Coordinates of all heavy atoms in Angstrom, one line a residue:
F64 N -0.8 -1.9 -4.8 CA -0.6 -3.4 -4.9 C 0.7 -3.7 -4.4 O 0.9 -4.7 -3.7 CB -0.8 -3.8 -6.4 CG -0.5 -5.2 -6.6 CD1 -1.4 -6.3 -6.1 CD2 0.6 -5.6 -7.2 CE1 -1.0 -7.5 -6.3 CE2 1.0 -7.0 -7.4 CZ 0.1 -8.0 -7.0
Q65 N 1.7 -2.9 -4.7 CA 3.1 -3.3 -4.2 C 3.2 -3.3 -2.7 O 3.8 -4.2 -2.1 CB 4.1 -2.2 -4.8 CG 4.3 -2.3 -6.3 CD 5.2 -1.2 -6.9 OE1 5.8 -0.5 -6.1 NE2 5.2 -1.1 -8.2
Y66 N 2.5 -2.4 -2.1 CA 2.6 -2.4 -0.6 C 1.7 -3.6 -0.1 O 2.1 -4.3 0.8 CB 1.9 -1.1 -0.1 CG 2.9 0.0 0.1 CD1 3.0 0.9 -0.9 CD2 3.6 0.1 1.2 CE1 3.9 2.0 -0.8 CE2 4.5 1.2 1.4 CZ 4.7 2.1 0.5 OH 5.6 3.1 0.6
L67 N 0.5 -3.8 -0.6 CA -0.3 -4.9 -0.2 C 0.4 -6.3 -0.3 O 0.3 -7.2 0.5 CB -1.7 -5.0 -0.8 CG -2.6 -3.9 -0.5 CD1 -3.9 -3.9 -1.3 CD2 -3.0 -3.9 1.0
K68 N 1.0 -6.4 -1.5 CA 1.7 -7.7 -1.8 C 2.8 -7.9 -0.7 O 2.9 -9.0 -0.2 CB 2.3 -7.6 -3.1 CG 3.0 -8.9 -3.6 CD 3.4 -8.8 -5.0 CE 4.0 -10.0 -5.5 NZ 4.5 -9.9 -6.9
R69 N 3.6 -7.0 -0.4 CA 4.6 -7.0 0.7 C 4.1 -7.3 2.0 O 4.6 -8.0 2.9 CB 5.6 -5.9 0.6 CG 6.5 -5.9 -0.6 CD 7.1 -4.6 -1.0 NE 8.0 -4.7 -2.1 CZ 7.6 -4.9 -3.4 NH1 6.4 -5.0 -3.7 NH2 8.5 -5.0 -4.3
F70 N 3.0 -6.5 2.3 CA 2.3 -6.7 3.6 C 1.8 -8.1 3.8 O 2.0 -8.7 4.8 CB 1.1 -5.7 3.7 CG 0.3 -5.9 4.9 CD1 0.7 -5.4 6.1 CD2 -1.0 -6.6 4.9 CE1 0.0 -5.5 7.3 CE2 -1.7 -6.7 6.0 CZ -1.2 -6.2 7.3
E71 N 1.3 -8.7 2.8 CA 0.7 -10.1 2.8 C 1.9 -11.1 3.1 O 1.7 -12.1 3.8 CB 0.1 -10.5 1.5 CG -1.4 -10.0 1.5 CD -2.2 -10.8 2.4 OE1 -2.2 -12.1 2.5 OE2 -2.9 -10.1 3.1
R72 N 3.1 -10.8 2.6 CA 4.2 -11.7 2.8 C 5.0 -11.4 4.1 O 6.0 -11.9 4.3 CB 5.2 -11.5 1.7 CG 4.6 -12.1 0.4 CD 5.4 -12.0 -0.8 NE 4.8 -12.5 -2.0 CZ 5.3 -12.5 -3.2 NH1 6.4 -11.8 -3.4 NH2 4.6 -13.0 -4.2
G73 N 4.5 -10.4 4.9 CA 5.1 -10.1 6.2 C 6.3 -9.3 6.1 O 7.2 -9.3 7.1
R74 N 6.6 -8.7 5.0 CA 7.8 -7.9 4.9 C 7.7 -6.5 5.5 O 6.6 -6.0 5.6 CB 8.1 -7.7 3.3 CG 8.4 -9.0 2.6 CD 9.0 -8.8 1.3 NE 9.3 -10.0 0.6 CZ 9.5 -10.1 -0.6 NH1 9.5 -9.0 -1.4 NH2 9.9 -11.3 -1.2
D75 N 8.9 -6.0 5.9 CA 8.9 -4.7 6.5 C 8.6 -3.6 5.5 O 9.3 -3.6 4.4 CB 10.4 -4.5 7.1 CG 10.5 -3.2 7.8 OD1 9.5 -2.5 8.2 OD2 11.7 -2.7 7.8
L76 N 7.7 -2.8 5.7 CA 7.2 -1.8 4.8 C 7.8 -0.4 5.1 O 7.7 0.5 4.3 CB 5.7 -1.6 4.8 CG 5.0 -2.9 4.4 CD1 3.4 -2.6 4.5 CD2 5.3 -3.3 2.9
D77 N 8.6 -0.3 6.2 CA 9.2 1.0 6.7 C 10.1 1.6 5.6 O 10.1 2.8 5.5 CB 9.8 1.0 8.0 CG 8.8 0.6 9.1 OD1 7.6 0.9 9.0 OD2 9.3 0.1 10.2
R78 N 10.8 0.8 4.9 CA 11.8 1.4 4.1 C 11.4 1.2 2.5 O 12.2 1.5 1.6 CB 13.2 0.8 4.2 CG 13.8 1.2 5.6 CD 15.2 1.0 5.6 NE 15.8 1.5 6.9 CZ 16.1 2.7 7.2 NH1 16.0 3.7 6.3 NH2 16.5 3.1 8.4
F79 N 10.3 0.5 2.3 CA 9.8 0.3 0.9 C 9.3 1.6 0.4 O 8.7 2.3 1.1 CB 8.7 -0.8 0.9 CG 8.2 -0.9 -0.4 CD1 8.9 -1.6 -1.4 CD2 6.9 -0.5 -0.8 CE1 8.4 -1.7 -2.8 CE2 6.4 -0.6 -2.0 CZ 7.2 -1.3 -3.0
R80 N 9.5 1.8 -0.9 CA 9.0 2.9 -1.6 C 8.4 2.4 -2.9 O 8.9 1.5 -3.6 CB 10.1 4.0 -2.0 CG 10.7 4.7 -0.8 CD 9.7 5.6 -0.2 NE 10.2 6.3 1.0 CZ 9.9 5.9 2.3 NH1 9.2 4.9 2.5 NH2 10.5 6.6 3.2
Y81 N 7.2 3.0 -3.3 CA 6.6 2.6 -4.5 C 7.5 2.8 -5.7 O 8.3 3.8 -5.8 CB 5.3 3.6 -4.7 CG 4.7 3.5 -6.1 CD1 4.0 2.4 -6.4 CD2 4.8 4.6 -6.9 CE1 3.4 2.3 -7.7 CE2 4.2 4.5 -8.2 CZ 3.5 3.4 -8.5 OH 2.9 3.3 -9.8
K82 N 7.4 1.9 -6.6 CA 8.3 1.8 -7.8 C 7.4 2.1 -9.0 O 6.7 1.2 -9.5 CB 9.1 0.5 -7.9 CG 9.9 0.3 -6.8 CD 10.6 -1.1 -6.9 CE 11.5 -1.2 -5.7 NZ 11.2 -2.4 -4.9
A83 N 7.4 3.3 -9.4 CA 6.6 3.7 -10.5 C 6.9 2.9 -11.9 O 8.0 2.6 -12.1 CB 6.6 5.2 -10.9
L84 N 5.9 2.6 -12.6 CA 6.0 1.9 -13.9 C 6.5 0.4 -13.8 O 6.8 -0.2 -14.8 CB 6.8 2.7 -14.9 CG 6.3 4.1 -15.2 CD1 7.3 4.8 -16.1 CD2 4.9 4.0 -15.7
S85 N 6.7 0.0 -12.6 CA 7.1 -1.4 -12.5 C 5.9 -2.4 -12.4 O 4.9 -2.0 -11.9 CB 7.9 -1.7 -11.2 OG 7.2 -1.6 -10.0
V86 N 6.1 -3.5 -13.0 CA 4.9 -4.5 -13.1 C 5.3 -5.6 -12.1 O 6.3 -6.3 -12.2 CB 4.7 -5.0 -14.4 CG1 3.6 -5.9 -14.5 CG2 4.4 -3.8 -15.4
E87 N 4.3 -5.9 -11.2 CA 4.5 -7.0 -10.3 C 3.2 -7.8 -10.3 O 2.1 -7.2 -10.2 CB 4.8 -6.5 -8.8 CG 6.1 -5.8 -8.7 CD 6.4 -5.4 -7.2 OE1 5.7 -5.9 -6.3 OE2 7.2 -4.5 -7.1
G88 N 3.3 -9.2 -10.3 CA 2.1 -10.0 -10.2 C 1.2 -9.8 -11.5 O 1.5 -9.1 -12.4
S89 N 0.1 -10.5 -11.4 CA -0.9 -10.5 -12.4 C -2.1 -9.6 -12.1 O -2.3 -9.3 -10.9 CB -1.4 -11.9 -12.7 OG -2.1 -12.4 -11.6
P90 N -2.9 -9.3 -13.1 CA -4.1 -8.5 -12.7 C -5.0 -9.3 -11.7 O -5.6 -8.7 -10.9 CB -4.7 -8.3 -14.1 CG -3.7 -8.4 -15.1 CD -2.7 -9.3 -14.5
A91 N -5.1 -10.6 -12.0 CA -6.0 -11.4 -11.1 C -5.4 -11.3 -9.6 O -6.2 -11.1 -8.6 CB -6.0 -12.8 -11.5
E92 N -4.2 -11.4 -9.4 CA -3.6 -11.3 -8.1 C -3.8 -9.9 -7.5 O -4.1 -9.8 -6.3 CB -2.1 -11.5 -8.2 CG -1.3 -11.5 -6.8 CD 0.2 -11.8 -6.9 OE1 0.7 -11.7 -8.0 OE2 0.8 -12.0 -5.8
C93 N -3.8 -8.9 -8.3 CA -4.0 -7.5 -7.8 C -5.5 -7.4 -7.3 O -5.7 -6.9 -6.2 CB -3.7 -6.6 -9.0 SG -4.0 -4.8 -8.6
V94 N -6.4 -7.8 -8.1 CA -7.8 -7.7 -7.8 C -8.1 -8.6 -6.5 O -8.8 -8.2 -5.6 CB -8.8 -8.2 -8.9 CG1 -10.2 -8.3 -8.4 CG2 -8.7 -7.1 -10.0
Q95 N -7.5 -9.7 -6.4 CA -7.6 -10.6 -5.3 C -7.2 -9.9 -4.0 O -7.9 -10.0 -3.0 CB -6.9 -11.9 -5.5 CG -7.1 -12.9 -4.3 CD -6.2 -14.2 -4.5 OE1 -5.5 -14.2 -5.4 NE2 -6.6 -15.2 -3.8
L96 N -6.0 -9.2 -4.0 CA -5.5 -8.6 -2.8 C -6.5 -7.3 -2.5 O -6.7 -7.1 -1.3 CB -4.2 -8.1 -3.1 CG -3.0 -9.1 -2.8 CD1 -1.7 -8.5 -3.1 CD2 -3.1 -9.6 -1.3
F97 N -6.9 -6.6 -3.5 CA -7.8 -5.5 -3.2 C -9.1 -6.1 -2.6 O -9.7 -5.4 -1.6 CB -8.2 -4.8 -4.5 CG -7.1 -4.0 -5.1 CD1 -7.0 -3.6 -6.4 CD2 -6.0 -3.6 -4.3 CE1 -6.0 -2.9 -6.9 CE2 -5.0 -2.9 -4.8 CZ -5.0 -2.4 -6.1
L98 N -9.7 -7.2 -3.1 CA -10.9 -7.7 -2.5 C -10.7 -8.2 -1.1 O -11.5 -8.1 -0.2 CB -11.3 -8.9 -3.4 CG -12.0 -8.7 -4.8 CD1 -12.1 -9.9 -5.6 CD2 -13.3 -7.9 -4.5
L99 N -9.5 -8.7 -0.8 CA -9.1 -9.2 0.6 C -9.1 -8.1 1.5 O -9.4 -8.2 2.7 CB -7.8 -10.0 0.5 CG -7.4 -10.7 1.8 CD1 -8.3 -11.7 2.3 CD2 -6.0 -11.3 1.5
H100 N -8.5 -6.9 1.1 CA -8.2 -5.8 2.1 C -9.1 -4.7 2.0 O -9.0 -3.7 2.9 CB -6.8 -5.3 1.8 CG -5.8 -6.3 2.2 ND1 -5.3 -6.5 3.5 CD2 -5.1 -7.2 1.4 CE1 -4.4 -7.5 3.5 NE2 -4.3 -7.9 2.3
C101 N -10.1 -4.6 1.1 CA -11.0 -3.4 1.0 C -11.9 -3.2 2.2 O -12.5 -2.2 2.4 CB -11.6 -3.3 -0.3 SG -13.1 -4.4 -0.5
G102 N -12.3 -4.3 2.9 CA -13.1 -4.2 4.0 C -14.6 -4.4 3.8 O -15.4 -4.2 4.7
V103 N -15.0 -4.7 2.5 CA -16.4 -4.8 2.1 C -16.5 -6.3 1.7 O -15.7 -6.8 0.9 CB -16.8 -3.9 1.0 CG1 -18.2 -4.0 0.6 CG2 -16.6 -2.4 1.5
V104 N -17.5 -6.9 2.2 CA -17.7 -8.4 1.8 C -17.8 -8.7 0.3 O -17.2 -9.5 -0.3 CB -18.9 -9.0 2.6 CG1 -19.1 -10.5 2.1 CG2 -18.6 -8.9 4.1
D105 N -18.7 -7.9 -0.4 CA -19.0 -8.1 -1.8 C -19.0 -6.7 -2.4 O -20.0 -6.2 -2.7 CB -20.3 -8.8 -2.0 CG -20.6 -9.2 -3.4 OD1 -19.6 -9.2 -4.2 OD2 -21.7 -9.4 -3.8
P106 N -17.7 -6.1 -2.6 CA -17.6 -4.8 -3.1 C -18.0 -4.6 -4.5 O -17.8 -5.5 -5.4 CB -16.2 -4.4 -2.9 CG -15.5 -5.7 -3.0 CD -16.5 -6.7 -2.4
S107 N -18.6 -3.4 -4.9 CA -18.8 -3.1 -6.3 C -17.4 -2.6 -6.9 O -16.5 -2.4 -6.1 CB -19.8 -2.0 -6.4 OG -19.3 -0.8 -5.8
W108 N -17.4 -2.4 -8.2 CA -16.1 -1.9 -8.7 C -15.9 -0.4 -8.2 O -14.8 -0.1 -8.1 CB -16.3 -1.8 -10.3 CG -16.1 -3.2 -10.9 CD1 -17.1 -4.0 -11.5 CD2 -14.9 -4.0 -10.9 NE1 -16.5 -5.2 -11.9 CE2 -15.2 -5.2 -11.5 CE3 -13.6 -3.8 -10.4 CZ2 -14.2 -6.3 -11.7 CZ3 -12.6 -4.8 -10.6 CH2 -13.0 -6.0 -11.3
A109 N -16.9 0.3 -8.0 CA -16.8 1.6 -7.4 C -16.2 1.6 -6.1 O -15.3 2.5 -5.8 CB -18.2 2.4 -7.4
E110 N -16.5 0.7 -5.3 CA -16.1 0.6 -3.9 C -14.5 0.2 -4.0 O -13.8 0.7 -3.2 CB -16.8 -0.4 -3.1 CG -18.2 0.1 -2.7 CD -19.1 -0.9 -2.2 OE1 -19.0 -2.0 -2.6 OE2 -19.9 -0.6 -1.1
L111 N -14.2 -0.7 -4.9 CA -12.8 -1.1 -5.1 C -12.0 0.1 -5.6 O -10.9 0.3 -5.1 CB -12.7 -2.3 -6.1 CG -12.9 -3.6 -5.5 CD1 -12.9 -4.7 -6.6 CD2 -12.1 -4.0 -4.3
R112 N -12.6 0.8 -6.5 CA -11.9 2.0 -7.0 C -11.6 3.0 -5.9 O -10.5 3.5 -5.8 CB -12.7 2.7 -8.1 CG -11.9 3.8 -8.7 CD -12.8 5.0 -8.9 NE -12.1 6.1 -9.5 CZ -11.6 7.1 -8.8 NH1 -11.6 7.1 -7.5 NH2 -10.9 8.1 -9.3
N113 N -12.7 3.2 -5.0 CA -12.5 4.2 -3.9 C -11.5 3.7 -3.0 O -10.7 4.5 -2.5 CB -13.9 4.4 -3.2 CG -14.8 5.2 -4.1 OD1 -14.4 5.9 -5.0 ND2 -16.1 5.1 -3.8
F114 N -11.5 2.5 -2.7 CA -10.5 1.8 -1.7 C -9.1 2.1 -2.3 O -8.1 2.5 -1.6 CB -10.7 0.4 -1.5 CG -9.6 -0.3 -0.9 CD1 -9.4 -0.2 0.4 CD2 -8.8 -1.3 -1.6 CE1 -8.3 -0.8 1.1 CE2 -7.8 -1.9 -1.0 CZ -7.5 -1.7 0.3
T115 N -8.8 1.7 -3.6 CA -7.5 1.9 -4.1 C -7.1 3.4 -4.2 O -6.0 3.8 -4.0 CB -7.4 1.3 -5.5 OG1 -8.4 1.7 -6.4 CG2 -7.7 -0.2 -5.4
W116 N -8.0 4.2 -4.5 CA -7.8 5.7 -4.6 C -7.3 6.2 -3.2 O -6.4 6.9 -3.1 CB -9.0 6.4 -5.2 CG -8.9 7.9 -5.2 CD1 -8.2 8.7 -6.0 CD2 -9.4 8.8 -4.2 NE1 -8.3 9.9 -5.7 CE2 -9.1 10.1 -4.6 CE3 -10.2 8.7 -3.1 CZ2 -9.5 11.2 -3.8 CZ3 -10.6 9.8 -2.3 CH2 -10.2 11.0 -2.7
F117 N -8.1 5.9 -2.2 CA -7.8 6.3 -0.9 C -6.5 5.7 -0.3 O -5.7 6.5 0.2 CB -9.0 5.9 0.1 CG -8.7 6.3 1.5 CD1 -8.8 7.6 1.9 CD2 -8.3 5.4 2.4 CE1 -8.6 8.0 3.3 CE2 -8.0 5.7 3.8 CZ -8.2 7.0 4.2
L118 N -6.2 4.5 -0.5 CA -5.0 3.8 -0.2 C -3.8 4.4 -0.9 O -2.8 4.8 -0.2 CB -5.1 2.3 -0.4 CG -3.9 1.5 0.0 CD1 -3.7 1.6 1.5 CD2 -4.0 0.1 -0.5
N119 N -4.0 4.7 -2.1 CA -2.9 5.4 -2.9 C -2.5 6.7 -2.4 O -1.3 7.0 -2.2 CB -3.3 5.5 -4.4 CG -2.2 6.0 -5.2 OD1 -1.1 5.5 -5.2 ND2 -2.4 7.1 -6.0
I120 N -3.5 7.5 -2.0 CA -3.3 8.9 -1.5 C -2.6 8.8 -0.1 O -1.7 9.5 0.2 CB -4.6 9.7 -1.4 CG1 -5.1 10.1 -2.8 CG2 -4.4 10.9 -0.4 CD1 -6.5 10.8 -2.8
Q121 N -3.1 7.9 0.7 CA -2.5 7.7 2.1 C -1.0 7.3 2.0 O -0.2 7.8 2.7 CB -3.3 6.7 2.9 CG -4.7 7.2 3.2 CD -4.8 8.5 4.0 OE1 -4.0 8.6 5.0 NE2 -5.5 9.4 3.5
L122 N -0.7 6.3 1.1 CA 0.6 5.8 0.9 C 1.6 6.8 0.3 O 2.7 7.0 0.7 CB 0.6 4.5 0.2 CG 0.0 3.4 0.9 CD1 -0.2 2.1 -0.1 CD2 0.8 2.9 2.1
R123 N 1.0 7.6 -0.6 CA 1.8 8.6 -1.3 C 2.1 9.6 -0.2 O 3.3 10.1 -0.1 CB 1.1 9.2 -2.4 CG 1.9 10.3 -3.1 CD 1.1 11.0 -4.3 NE 0.0 11.8 -3.6 CZ -1.2 11.9 -4.2 NH1 -1.5 11.5 -5.3 NH2 -2.2 12.5 -3.5
D124 N 1.2 10.1 0.6 CA 1.4 11.1 1.6 C 2.4 10.6 2.7 O 3.3 11.4 3.2 CB 0.1 11.6 2.3 CG -0.7 12.4 1.4 OD1 -0.3 12.8 0.3 OD2 -1.9 12.6 1.7
C125 N 2.3 9.3 3.0 CA 3.2 8.7 4.0 C 4.6 8.7 3.5 O 5.6 9.0 4.2 CB 2.7 7.2 4.3 SG 3.8 6.4 5.5
E126 N 4.8 8.4 2.2 CA 6.2 8.4 1.6 C 6.8 9.8 1.6 O 7.9 9.9 1.7 CB 6.1 7.8 0.2 CG 6.0 6.3 0.2 CD 6.2 5.7 -1.3 OE1 6.3 6.5 -2.2 OE2 6.2 4.6 -1.4
A127 N 5.9 10.8 1.4 CA 6.4 12.2 1.4 C 6.6 12.8 2.7 O 7.3 13.8 2.8 CB 5.4 13.0 0.6
S128 N 6.1 12.2 3.8 CA 6.2 12.8 5.1 C 7.5 12.5 5.8 O 7.9 11.3 5.9 CB 5.0 12.3 6.0 OG 5.2 12.7 7.4
V129 N 8.2 13.5 6.4 CA 9.4 13.3 7.0 C 9.2 12.5 8.3 O 10.1 11.8 8.8 CB 10.1 14.7 7.3 CG1 9.3 15.5 8.3 CG2 11.5 14.5 7.8
F130 N 8.0 12.5 8.8 CA 7.7 11.9 10.1 C 7.6 10.4 9.9 O 7.5 9.6 10.8 CB 6.4 12.5 10.7 CG 6.6 13.9 11.1 CD1 6.0 14.9 10.4 CD2 7.4 14.3 12.1 CE1 6.2 16.2 10.7 CE2 7.6 15.6 12.5 CZ 7.0 16.6 11.8
C131 N 7.4 10.0 8.6 CA 7.3 8.5 8.3 C 8.6 8.0 7.7 O 8.7 6.9 7.3 CB 6.2 8.3 7.3 SG 4.6 8.6 8.0
D132 N 9.6 8.9 7.7 CA 11.0 8.5 7.1 C 11.8 7.8 8.3 O 12.1 8.5 9.2 CB 11.7 9.8 6.6 CG 13.0 9.5 6.0 OD1 13.5 8.4 6.1 OD2 13.5 10.4 5.4
P133 N 12.1 6.6 8.1 CA 12.8 5.8 9.1 C 14.3 6.5 9.4 O 14.7 6.3 10.4 CB 13.0 4.4 8.6 CG 12.6 4.4 7.2 CD 11.8 5.7 6.9
D134 N 14.8 7.2 8.4 CA 16.1 7.8 8.6 C 16.0 9.0 9.5 O 16.9 9.4 10.2 CB 16.7 8.2 7.3 CG 17.1 7.0 6.4 OD1 17.5 5.9 7.0 OD2 17.0 7.1 5.2
F135 N 14.8 9.6 9.5 CA 14.6 10.8 10.3 C 14.1 10.5 11.7 O 14.6 11.0 12.7 CB 13.5 11.7 9.7 CG 13.2 12.9 10.5 CD1 14.0 14.0 10.5 CD2 12.0 13.0 11.2 CE1 13.7 15.1 11.3 CE2 11.6 14.1 12.0 CZ 12.5 15.2 11.9
V136 N 13.2 9.6 11.8 CA 12.7 9.2 13.2 C 13.5 8.1 13.9 O 13.3 7.9 15.0 CB 11.2 8.8 13.1 CG1 10.3 9.9 12.7 CG2 11.0 7.6 12.3
G137 N 14.4 7.5 13.1 CA 15.2 6.5 13.8 C 14.3 5.2 14.1 O 13.4 4.9 13.4
D138 N 14.5 4.6 15.3 CA 13.7 3.4 15.7 C 12.6 3.8 16.7 O 12.0 3.0 17.3 CB 14.6 2.4 16.3 CG 15.3 2.8 17.5 OD1 15.1 4.0 17.9 OD2 15.9 1.9 18.1
T139 N 12.3 5.2 16.8 CA 11.3 5.6 17.8 C 9.8 5.1 17.3 O 9.0 5.0 18.2 CB 11.3 7.1 17.9 OG1 11.0 7.7 16.6 CG2 12.7 7.5 18.4
L140 N 9.6 4.9 16.0 CA 8.3 4.5 15.6 C 8.3 3.2 14.8 O 7.5 2.9 13.9 CB 7.7 5.6 14.7 CG 7.5 6.9 15.3 CD1 7.0 8.0 14.3 CD2 6.4 6.9 16.5
N141 N 9.2 2.3 15.2 CA 9.5 1.0 14.5 C 8.1 0.3 14.4 O 7.5 0.0 15.4 CB 10.5 0.2 15.2 CG 10.9 -1.0 14.4 OD1 10.8 -1.0 13.2 ND2 11.5 -1.9 15.1
G142 N 7.7 0.0 13.2 CA 6.5 -0.8 13.0 C 5.2 0.0 13.0 O 4.1 -0.5 12.7
F143 N 5.3 1.3 13.2 CA 4.2 2.1 13.3 C 3.5 2.2 11.9 O 2.5 2.1 11.6 CB 4.5 3.5 13.8 CG 3.3 4.4 13.9 CD1 2.3 4.2 14.8 CD2 3.2 5.6 13.0 CE1 1.2 5.1 14.9 CE2 2.1 6.3 13.0 CZ 1.1 6.2 13.9

């Protein structure tokens, strides 16, 4: 949710890191963003869960990868 919220506002995500245990927005705002970005017109709860699970794994791996670290790659992959 933290990434999607910043993405919706057009903020740079290259240096953002997930903040564990921080609360942002409301549950309704969270579900609304998931519905907007999951890619299914009328998703079931299972499809929303799978979307959030997959997105979470991808973002966690991205944060852990040195190749996605802007301090390591410099401006060679800006906006990638």
Side-chain angles (χ1 to χ4, degrees):
F64 174 72
Q65 293 175 10
Y66 274 95
L67 288 176
K68 186 174 180 181
R69 283 160 180 77
F70 176 76
E71 277 295 306
R72 293 181 177 170
R74 293 194 180 163
D75 180 25
L76 298 176
D77 290 342
R78 295 201 177 272
F79 176 72
R80 294 291 179 256
Y81 168 71
K82 298 175 183 122
L84 304 176
S85 71
V86 177
E87 295 183 15
S89 68
E92 183 183 9
C93 181
V94 171
Q95 183 180 13
L96 278 178
F97 290 159
L98 288 169
L99 183 64
H100 291 280
C101 78
V103 178
V104 175
D105 188 18
S107 66
W108 285 111
E110 289 168 324
L111 283 177
R112 186 227 176 262
N113 289 339
F114 167 71
T115 57
W116 175 78
F117 177 77
L118 183 62
N119 186 53
I120 288 173
Q121 295 300 308
L122 292 171
R123 185 186 62 212
D124 289 349
C125 180
E126 284 187 356
S128 172
V129 67
F130 299 106
C131 295
D132 183 351
D134 294 327
F135 178 75
V136 297
D138 64 354
T139 60
L140 297 174
N141 191 20
F143 179 71

